[in-house]
Amino acid sequence: MMRMTVLASGSKGNSTVISSSRTRVLVDAGLSCRELLRRMALAGEDPSTLDAILITHEHQDHIAGLGVLARRLRIPVFFTEPTHRAWVRMLTPRTTMSYAKWLDHVQREKEARAQSVASTPAHDPAVEAASIAHISAEAAALDATLNPTAVIAVDEDAEDPDAALCDPETPQAARQKADPTHLPAVEYFHAGANFCIGDIAITPFTIPHDAADPCGFVFESEGIRMALATDLGYMPPNVKAALKRIDVLLLESNHDLEMLKDGPYPWSVKQRVLSRVGHLSNHATAEFLQKDYDGTAAWIVLGHLSESNNAPELARLAAEQALANHPTLLGNRILLADQATPLEPICL
């Protein structure tokens, strides 16, 4: 038997448990540790039986509770190496300064140099070397100020006020607090290369999304195949090929095109969502189901629905209309994954 339990799906957090009779894997940890444990309890999933955490990509709605949960459960985390490196960079504090502070810093440096030059004979090599060093320091400060990747710092306790529930105060936990990137164990995989966790065979495939190395997955055990494909801007050939002969399919249906265009997001965000590294619309998902889907899934779960730019009824209607054009596919059952509550487990 295999089981898929969607704990949460949406822009505020994503997490799904994939289980065989002997192995349990948590795919993404996009909620706080406390909330993930609460969702698992609601869904009848025992967190102590999890064997690993598997990460699709490093965006916050997929990794928010990762470090705390992995340390709490003392289980390995599976990433691609670029995704792991991106996650570490996100959690590594960098010093920066505002533009006003930088201007003040430059002015003070100029005044100090002027005083130094006034009190030192002309053409003193030491003064010239010091001047060059000051200019280099100013350039580095400006670079740090303008580099958006240099200002990301995450306080796990601030994000999860109940972190103590998940990270008991022990000498080890205290050491880990100083290093939020610490994990009990890390395993790397590569898109396109099969690997196993316990008795679950996993095929990761590259997806088009604006992350370091985003992946979707096909899980297979005991003759059952389940797939997870969300956070993709369009359906490239490799994804279409990966989603063949699937028994349970979790597929993105993020937004309604008209709701997104008329919605509250800034134009820059709308462009990002609509881009080829953004998210699938209801229309794009329906087009895949109508033209490229092979019809083998007993269940299709529509996930990552936008709360601002979609309505569950619209996502369901688009998918049902796509399947209605193929009478042989009408046996496919459609479910909608929710942001606020876990779905009932799907067992095959």
Side-chain angles (χ1 to χ4, degrees), residues 99-167:
Y99 185 62
K101 286 184 177 180
W102 178 78
L103 287 176
D104 181 62
H105 167 76
V106 170
Q107 183 61 35
R108 284 188 279 108
E109 291 290 332
K110 286 181 179 178
E111 292 172 357
R113 285 203 306 278
Q115 291 175 359
S116 175
V117 170
S119 61
T120 307
H123 306 297
D124 189 324
V127 174
E128 293 180 0
S131 179
I132 293 172
H134 282 307
I135 293 171
S136 298
E138 290 168 8
L142 178 61
D143 180 66
T145 304
L146 299 180
N147 181 1
T149 64
V151 298
I152 300 173
V154 177
D155 180 346
E156 282 189 89
D157 288 338
E159 288 195 348
D160 184 2
D162 298 284
L165 172 70
C166 295
D167 239 347

Side-chain angles (χ1 to χ4, degrees), residues 163-243:
L165 172 70
C166 295
D167 239 347
E169 277 297 340
T170 65
Q172 183 181 19
R175 184 177 70 252
Q176 293 165 357
K177 250 185 183 179
D179 179 11
T181 67
H182 173 82
L183 295 170
V186 171
E187 299 283 348
Y188 289 147
F189 63 85
H190 301 277
N194 295 358
F195 65 100
C196 292
I197 300 176
D199 65 339
I200 299 179
I202 302 172
T203 302
F205 52 89
T206 296
I207 57 175
H209 195 51
D210 54 355
D213 189 19
C215 292
F217 301 104
V218 174
F219 305 90
E220 183 170 3
S221 182
E222 303 171 47
I224 302 297
R225 287 165 55 84
M226 297 182 170
L228 188 154
T230 67
D231 297 76
L232 58 165
Y234 71 105
M235 294 291 288
N238 74 302
V239 175
K240 294 176 182 178
L243 301 183

Side-chain angles (χ1 to χ4, degrees), residues 1-196:
M1 183 184 74
M2 285 196 75
R3 182 172 71 247
M4 175 187 286
T5 305
V6 182
L7 301 176
S9 185
S11 59
K12 294 179 180 176
N14 297 269
S15 191
T16 300
V17 180
I18 301 291
S19 306
S20 68
S21 57
R22 295 192 290 112
T23 305
R24 287 176 176 80
V25 177
L26 184 71
V27 184
D28 289 335
L31 303 170
S32 70
C33 172
R34 179 176 183 271
E35 183 62 16
L36 285 167
L37 295 178
R38 189 184 76 83
R39 298 284 180 101
M40 282 187 263
L42 286 174
E45 297 284 353
D46 183 357
S48 67
T49 64
L50 288 175
D51 296 286
I53 302 173
L54 181 61
I55 299 299
T56 59
H57 63 289
E58 76 280 5
H59 287 169
Q60 188 69 10
D61 58 327
H62 294 260
I63 52 85
L66 173 60
V68 179
L69 184 68
R71 292 191 291 270
R72 165 69 175 179
L73 300 179
R74 296 179 175 84
I75 55 178
V77 180
F78 286 72
F79 302 90
T80 67
E81 185 173 1
T83 296
H84 183 215
R85 289 171 62 86
W87 177 73
V88 169
R89 287 196 303 272
M90 289 173 63
L91 295 184
T92 302
R94 305 286 184 88
T95 59
T96 188
M97 65 177 70
S98 68
Y99 185 62
K101 286 184 177 180
W102 178 78
L103 287 176
D104 181 62
H105 167 76
V106 170
Q107 183 61 35
R108 284 188 279 108
E109 291 290 332
K110 286 181 179 178
E111 292 172 357
R113 285 203 306 278
Q115 291 175 359
S116 175
V117 170
S119 61
T120 307
H123 306 297
D124 189 324
V127 174
E128 293 180 0
S131 179
I132 293 172
H134 282 307
I135 293 171
S136 298
E138 290 168 8
L142 178 61
D143 180 66
T145 304
L146 299 180
N147 181 1
T149 64
V151 298
I152 300 173
V154 177
D155 180 346
E156 282 189 89
D157 288 338
E159 288 195 348
D160 184 2
D162 298 284
L165 172 70
C166 295
D167 239 347
E169 277 297 340
T170 65
Q172 183 181 19
R175 184 177 70 252
Q176 293 165 357
K177 250 185 183 179
D179 179 11
T181 67
H182 173 82
L183 295 170
V186 171
E187 299 283 348
Y188 289 147
F189 63 85
H190 301 277
N194 295 358
F195 65 100
C196 292

Side-chain angles (χ1 to χ4, degrees), residues 292-326:
D292 300 293
Y293 169 57
D294 64 4
T296 60
W299 296 95
I300 298 172
V301 183
L302 302 179
H304 217 302
L305 273 67
S306 170
E307 293 181 293
S308 301
N309 304 299
N310 207 351
E313 298 79 10
L314 293 177
R316 181 189 293 276
L317 179 62
E320 287 179 342
Q321 288 178 336
L323 296 178
N325 293 327
H326 297 276

